[in-house]
Amino acid sequence: MKGTIALATSGPDFAMTDFLGALTHAVRPDGGRPLVVHDDELETIPPGAVPNPTTLRIAGKLPTSTFELFRQVIPPGESSDMQRHYHETVHFVISGDGHSEIQDAEVEKYETVSWTTGSFVYTPPWTWHRHYNDSTEHPVEFLTIENSRLLALFGLARRQSAGLATFDEARARFDTPSGEDK
């Protein structure tokens, strides 16, 4: 194409300023994409679209182009779904106590980590994980921040959910010797 310049994506010719300047999917603030979105303006992801009992509301009107923000509620005694995704995620615990099981894909074992109000919980890319509300009386509330939009800009967005399955059930359902989904 005439006038097109090849942009280095790695190596000695790569420059972060060129890379960031080439992102053409930037969304500018305007009436439809404001600088401030209030809690009562978050968009609820429809029931059934999330394969678990949690409620997810997205701050989708913010003019973010590389990350997404959600407010997630896990009911008392419940958990999120068993899932993995290419993006990184941080959950800030707004309220509640619980634990997460996060599997190390390299060694096929999982770690259990506990958290409380004010904790930040990191989920590495492509690791099976699930978050549990340890209270039988009070919900857990997360502010969930993920870099899924950045990966989508590169065509790398991928997420798998095994519902309320165990680690072994999730691996049996999705992992095959060739690495393809069943």
Side-chain angles (χ1 to χ4, degrees), residues 56 67-70 72 83-92 102 120-127 129 131 142-148 151 158-159:
L56 281 172
F67 63 94
E68 289 190 291
L69 296 164
F70 298 90
Q72 182 176 12
Q83 62 177 267
R84 66 181 176 181
H85 37 71
Y86 281 174
H87 58 267
E88 295 176 287
T89 303
V90 173
H91 296 279
F92 173 71
I102 302 173
F120 291 86
V121 182
Y122 175 72
T123 304
W126 208 239
T127 58
H129 61 279
H131 309 291
F142 287 140
L143 172 63
T144 302
I145 306 156
E146 58 185 47
N147 67 342
S148 53
L151 295 184
R158 186 171 183 199
R159 180 188 304 261

Side-chain angles (χ1 to χ4, degrees), residues 109-131:
K109 68 176 184 173
Y110 69 89
E111 181 177 359
T112 300
V113 293
S114 296
W115 37 262
T116 61
T117 298
S119 298
F120 291 86
V121 182
Y122 175 72
T123 304
W126 208 239
T127 58
W128 287 111
H129 61 279
R130 179 186 263 159
H131 309 291

Side-chain angles (χ1 to χ4, degrees), residues 89-109:
T89 303
V90 173
H91 296 279
F92 173 71
V93 184
I94 297 169
S95 65
D97 300 303
H99 70 279
S100 299
E101 294 177 339
I102 302 173
Q103 182 182 28
D104 183 329
E106 299 294 321
V107 294
E108 295 190 8
K109 68 176 184 173

Side-chain angles (χ1 to χ4, degrees), residues 165-177:
T166 66
F167 283 116
D168 290 337
E169 292 166 340
R171 284 195 311 272
R173 178 175 167 197
F174 287 98
D175 296 343
T176 64

Side-chain angles (χ1 to χ4, degrees), residues 6-165:
L7 178 68
T9 57
S10 64
D13 295 329
F14 175 79
M16 183 59 77
T17 54
D18 293 340
F19 170 76
L20 293 173
L23 290 178
T24 59
H25 298 286
V27 178
R28 300 290 176 228
D30 63 21
R33 301 292 286 228
L35 290 172
V36 176
V37 173
H38 301 279
D39 184 63
D40 63 351
E41 297 171 311
L42 298 181
E43 302 165 40
T44 301
I45 295 178
V50 180
N52 63 63
T54 70
T55 301
L56 281 172
R57 296 183 307 132
I58 185 169
K61 290 184 180 178
L62 289 173
T64 61
S65 58
T66 60
F67 63 94
E68 289 190 291
L69 296 164
F70 298 90
R71 186 154 184 181
Q72 182 176 12
V73 177
I74 302 175
E78 299 286 343
S79 73
S80 66
D81 60 321
M82 178 68 69
Q83 62 177 267
R84 66 181 176 181
H85 37 71
Y86 281 174
H87 58 267
E88 295 176 287
T89 303
V90 173
H91 296 279
F92 173 71
V93 184
I94 297 169
S95 65
D97 300 303
H99 70 279
S100 299
E101 294 177 339
I102 302 173
Q103 182 182 28
D104 183 329
E106 299 294 321
V107 294
E108 295 190 8
K109 68 176 184 173
Y110 69 89
E111 181 177 359
T112 300
V113 293
S114 296
W115 37 262
T116 61
T117 298
S119 298
F120 291 86
V121 182
Y122 175 72
T123 304
W126 208 239
T127 58
W128 287 111
H129 61 279
R130 179 186 263 159
H131 309 291
Y132 294 85
N133 180 347
D134 290 343
S135 173
T136 57
E137 297 177 25
H138 304 287
V140 161
E141 292 188 69
F142 287 140
L143 172 63
T144 302
I145 306 156
E146 58 185 47
N147 67 342
S148 53
R149 287 186 180 176
L150 177 63
L151 295 184
L153 289 171
F154 296 107
L156 300 174
R158 186 171 183 199
R159 180 188 304 261
Q160 292 177 327
S161 172
L164 299 179

